[in-house]
Amino acid sequence: MKNNISRRKVLHGFAASGLVLGFSLANRSWITEANAASVFTKLPPLDGVLSTDDNTLAVAGDDFGHIIHRQPIAVLKPGSIEDIVRIIRFARTHRLKVAARGQGHSVYGQPQVEAGVVIDMSTLNTIHSIDSDRAVVDAGVLWRQLLLKTLKQDLTPPVLTDYIELSIGGTLCVGGIGGATHRYGVQADNVWELQVVTGKGELETCSPEVNPDLFEAVLAGLGQCGIIVRATVKLINAFANTRVFLLAYDNLADFIQDQLLLVVSERFNYLEGQVVPNDSGGWRYILEAASFYNPSTPPNNDILLEGLSYIPGREQIEDKSYFDFLDRLALLVEQLKLGGIWSVPHPWLNLFVPGSTVESFVEDVFSNLTLNDTGQGAILLYPVKTHRFKRPFFRTPKEDIVFLLAILRNAIPPEDRVVTQMLADNRRLFQQNRKLGGYHYPVNAISLTQKDWKQHFRPFWGKLVSVKRRYDPDFLLTPGQGIFSSPNSI
């Protein structure tokens, strides 16, 4: 009886007209207490909240990019995995599109759905268990939350994104890349098992041994075949401390050569790089590397830096705790929020550039790029090893080593003309890189056609279509990516 009372109390879509009771087929709108005289289909019982108030819809119709705005007609804040099963079945019956939203950190409307239902995964945020080599977590758990728990047992996820206030389900859908990727692959490569709600409204368990086609399709599959609701992720032994090295370069060739040396030798646990403005209006390069250690076995700087061609006397070396290093962006993000930069449009671009062409490509890009073109946003450039990537839908160039080039633009001033120009530049660089055999890391602000997506996923396009038809036959999941519009669009 207590559970039934709870359900009745929490099922309140706070529309201006009152309690949400169901959905009208005739008007394709929600039925509330105020207009319940019309004929409608009753909602299934929910453990969470289905909201239709203007503020909730507006938040779900936006994202971190602040470029695309698609307003849903309802937002589900699930109280259980069963809520997601129920709402997808309901949406399937009534031909409504559905998208899952983690932290809304996408930049081009990927978790949005026009006149459909957004599932706010942040309410599914329980860490169920932590063992010596794995953790079982709900998809809405943030990587930072998991890290704080695992470090109490001297454990850590092998790979973390630079910004760790992202949801586990969200990054597993796209891949999840970071400074340890050259050693361990992306976050999607470090998963034991998943629970997934498919587009048919069925809860499935999948792993490399059980339902492997679904397992492969949802990891870096951009939410097309199912919604990850629970994940069993890998853990490894953690270190207590981190020694961070920032090495400066004026020469791109030396910078890339040193990065290649370090990615092959794996002498550092973490390896990234930045492109920053110099005093003369051009660019210089910062190699960022980190060695994890325990107090009893500190790293040897001479060995770590042997053979590198950085500018002597300009290196910065700092020791900090393992957690403080991984959470290093927290203070910067707070400053960006206070300064208003967090709320401007973010036409971000992330490209995987073939290692064989990276020097000429980057030279060409930065010969014309200015601070105005980036809005003084961060620029990342670092290598990864493609043999670490095991998921077929995580697409990279066909070379042993490729480079991630991320231009994290801020639209300043936040005007339409600035956004339009940045989007045009993104498309131009995307096409230029693609002609060289490059790919994009699909978290971008780029306008893509289905032809672009077919080229992106080949030779696995047919496999994606097959799994999509099997697990989401009505093509209702995650339309914001623009990969499929309907079964007839293929």
Side-chain angles (χ1 to χ4, degrees):
M1 180 62 69
K2 181 178 180 181
N3 186 50
N4 291 335
I5 293 173
S6 174
R7 287 184 176 183
R8 287 198 297 270
K9 285 184 177 181
V10 297
L11 177 57
H12 50 286
F14 294 103
S17 50
L19 179 70
V20 174
L21 303 176
F23 187 75
S24 170
L25 285 174
N27 301 322
R28 298 194 64 74
S29 61
W30 298 105
I31 300 301
T32 64
E33 288 178 323
N35 60 6
S38 60
V39 178
F40 64 93
T41 301
K42 189 176 181 181
L43 279 173
L46 297 172
D47 299 311
V49 177
L50 185 71
S51 298
T52 61
D53 65 282
D54 291 343
N55 182 65
T56 300
L57 298 183
V59 170
D62 192 17
D63 59 20
F64 177 69
H66 308 305
I67 300 169
I68 302 296
H69 303 276
R70 303 184 183 105
Q71 184 149 311
I73 56 175
V75 175
L76 173 68
K77 297 185 177 182
S80 63
I81 290 175
E82 288 73 22
D83 277 358
I84 299 176
V85 171
R86 295 174 187 130
I87 208 68
I88 288 182
R89 290 178 178 176
F90 185 86
R92 191 181 182 197
T93 298
H94 300 297
R95 305 184 305 280
L96 296 171
K97 301 287 187 179
V98 177
R101 173 189 173 95
Q103 291 297 296
H105 202 72
S106 60
V107 297
Y108 208 57
Q110 289 91 338
Q112 299 174 24
V113 53
E114 185 71 36
V117 179
V118 168
I119 301 175
D120 181 351
M121 301 297 292
S122 65
T123 56
L124 285 185
N125 56 9
T126 300
I127 299 173
H128 294 276
S129 65
I130 297 174
D131 294 312
S132 60
D133 65 346
R134 67 192 63 199
V136 180
V137 297
D138 286 342
V141 172
L142 305 186
W143 288 102
R144 186 180 191 273
Q145 294 173 326
L146 177 60
L147 180 64
L148 285 170
K149 290 287 188 179
T150 60
L151 285 179
K152 293 180 180 179
Q153 300 183 34
D154 297 323
L155 298 169
T156 181
V159 180
L160 288 161
T161 52
D162 290 336
Y163 183 52
I164 59 176
E165 294 270 355
L166 302 177
S167 71
I168 290 174
T171 64
L172 293 182
C173 284
V174 296
I177 195 168
T181 288
H182 72 290
R183 282 183 167 224
Y184 298 106
V186 292
Q187 290 174 324
D189 293 309
N190 293 276
V191 180
W192 293 107
E193 185 180 271
L194 296 170
Q195 288 188 17
V196 175
V197 179
T198 69
K200 296 167 71 173
E202 297 175 347
L203 178 62
E204 300 276 4
T205 297
C206 57
S207 69
E209 294 78 31
V210 178
N211 291 332
D213 58 338
L214 181 61
F215 185 73
E216 290 187 343
V218 295
L219 290 170
L222 308 183
Q224 294 306 300
C225 302
I227 296 174
I228 298 171
V229 293
R230 188 167 295 171
T232 303
V233 297
K234 294 181 181 179
L235 299 176
I236 61 175
N237 292 329
F239 293 89
N241 297 329
T242 303
R243 182 162 296 171
V244 185
F245 298 79
L246 299 179
L247 311 176
Y249 297 76
D250 287 329
N251 183 281
L252 175 62
D254 288 343
F255 173 67
I256 289 176
Q257 191 59 43
D258 280 1
Q259 285 193 319
L260 289 172
L261 185 157
L262 294 179
V263 78
V264 170
S265 67
E266 296 188 2
R267 67 176 74 168
F268 286 98
N269 301 93
Y270 167 101
L271 176 64
E272 288 195 10
Q274 304 171 28
V275 183
V276 299
N278 62 24
D279 296 334
S280 61
W283 303 94
R284 61 187 173 92
Y285 311 94
I286 305 295
L287 192 155
E288 182 180 14
S291 180
F292 304 149
Y293 68 98
N294 290 318
S296 60
T297 56
N300 185 310
N301 292 3
D302 292 336
I303 293 176
L304 290 174
L305 300 178
E306 183 180 3
L308 300 182
S309 303
Y310 60 92
I311 301 172
R314 291 174 58 180
E315 66 272 17
Q316 299 178 38
I317 303 174
E318 180 183 9
D319 288 305
K320 54 180 62 178
S321 75
Y322 180 77
F323 176 79
D324 285 346
F325 171 70
L326 294 173
D327 196 40
R328 63 196 178 281
L329 293 187
L331 178 59
L332 174 61
V333 168
E334 289 304 313
Q335 292 171 343
L336 293 175
K337 288 179 178 179
L338 291 174
I341 301 299
W342 201 251
S343 61
V344 304
H346 299 100
W348 284 8
L349 176 68
N350 293 262
L351 301 175
F352 284 121
V353 185
S356 61
T357 63
V358 66
E359 186 175 340
S360 59
F361 180 78
V362 171
E363 279 185 342
D364 182 61
V365 170
F366 287 96
S367 65
N368 299 301
L369 198 71
T370 68
L371 283 178
N372 287 336
D373 298 324
T374 68
Q376 301 190 42
I379 301 171
L380 306 179
L381 179 64
Y382 61 90
V384 292
K385 295 178 176 179
T386 57
H387 79 269
R388 299 293 190 194
F389 305 141
K390 307 303 182 184
R391 307 303 172 211
F393 296 138
F394 187 77
R395 310 301 299 138
T396 59
K398 297 177 181 179
E399 296 191 5
D400 293 337
I401 296 175
V402 302
F403 280 72
L404 176 72
L405 171 62
I407 304 176
L408 309 183
R409 305 181 194 261
N410 302 311
I412 299 175
E415 299 173 358
D416 288 346
R417 63 173 181 83
V418 176
V419 174
T420 299
Q421 182 59 56
M422 288 182 173
L423 292 176
D425 286 345
N426 285 355
R427 178 72 195 188
R428 176 179 58 81
L429 293 176
F430 161 75
Q431 291 176 311
Q432 183 180 341
N433 181 54
R434 186 168 63 177
K435 289 179 181 178
L436 300 172
Y439 281 76
H440 72 110
Y441 180 38
V443 295
N444 296 303
I446 309 176
S447 180
L448 298 171
T449 66
Q450 189 175 85
K451 183 179 179 181
D452 292 325
W453 283 114
K454 286 181 178 180
Q455 187 167 349
H456 175 78
F457 282 113
R458 69 180 186 189
F460 298 105
W461 173 255
K463 182 175 183 178
L464 178 61
V465 171
S466 175
V467 181
K468 177 78 169 177
R469 288 190 183 279
R470 179 179 175 186
Y471 290 104
D472 184 23
D474 300 311
F475 286 50
L476 62 83
L477 293 179
T478 321
Q481 289 280 6
I483 300 173
F484 304 103
S485 57
S486 71
N488 298 323
S489 67
I490 301 172

